[in-house]
Amino acid sequence: MIVLGIESSCDETGVALVDSAGAGVPRLLSHALHSQIAMHQAYGGVVPELASRDHIRRVLPLTEQVLADAGQTLKDIDVVAFTRGPGLAGALLVGAGVACSLAAALGKPVLGVHHLEGHLLSPFLSADPPEFAFVALLVSGGHTQLMRVDRVGSYELLGETIDDAAGEAFDKSAKLLGLPYPGGPHLARLALGGDAQAFKLPRPLLHSGDLDFSFSGLKTAVLTQAKKLGPVISEKDQADLAASTQAAIVEVLVKKSLKALAQTGLKRLVVAGGVGANTLLREQLNAACGQRGIRVHYPELNLCTDNGAMIALAAGMRLQAGMAQANTAYSFDVKPRWPLGLLPA
Ligand code: KG4
Ligand code: ZN
């Protein structure tokens, strides 16, 4: 069964084809991505209207590209999957509209997919796929959550951020340091030459006893520190502040993940979402989990941030597990806010 997946929830248009024949993990046939980062950079963040318009421009050429790359034609598609939420309403509507029109024209069924389910299942496309059950640390620009995942469709929220997401903490701190959007990878690069001990920054909710996160106080602390150092911050101070900020975010993510693993008794951790590409986070999780006999699984680096492959994969895995039915009603809606726990199990 060939599934076409379309992702358009934010600032990347992603399209992919997976083959979910048989009982094994769906196989990725091809995927293509257009990132809008360069377009939004001038504004210091995503401009929703521009994002929607660009998705419209990109989605069909990318669809043609993935079909050609996989040696398939439109007629070979069995199901069209799209990101139904959460995300920017206008951007989601582009993917949903294109998916439903394409499916209607082909006489094939459609399936709306939860963006975060795509992220947390994305390591199944890696060379070292996980086995159920596992703890998932979802760390993206919009979400920071710890989930218990027993099987496809069974997602129990263990803890989440009460304010900013981890990616937002990276991005907002990076902006204060004058780095371009999205700041996460830029801050991580700058931190390489810095001293993580140079500035004492808070580790919010580290000892709260629960599995929730809070990152907005950290951003304020970075702002206060930057103001003290300013108006012109030396290169050394900039690198030190970047390293100290990254260390604070990573320490909280690592400690809370270990707590979730201890609490659930599970021996596998899956890390997904854009911040999962962070090298320090990977190093520290690998070291801490290695000492405790815990396996850590990541998506391939190019599938950490938003992409169509994870949407096609999640649709394929849901259909295989009998957790969803693709439909031919073609009357779509989108869910800009959509808690993962509300998915039908
Ligand atoms: O999952 P994603 O592509 O989009 C959302 O669904 O939000 O995540 C994007 C986030 C951004 O905040 C970006 O700065 C962050 O992931 N990010 C990183 C790194 N690469 C991407 N943060 C820290 N270090 C990185 N290497
Ligand atoms: Zn995402």
Side-chain angles (χ1 to χ4, degrees), residues 115 119 140-142 167-168 170-171 182-185 188 273-275 277-278 304-306:
H115 181 84
H119 272 305
S140 71
E168 241 176 318
F170 268 105
D171 295 345
V275 180
N278 185 270
C304 275
T305 45
D306 294 348

Side-chain angles (χ1 to χ4, degrees), residues 7 9-10 86 115-116 119 139-143 273-274 304-307 310:
E7 153 64 30
S9 66
C10 189
H115 181 84
L116 295 183
H119 272 305
V139 272
S140 71
H143 294 86
C304 275
T305 45
D306 294 348
N307 63 84
M310 68 185 197

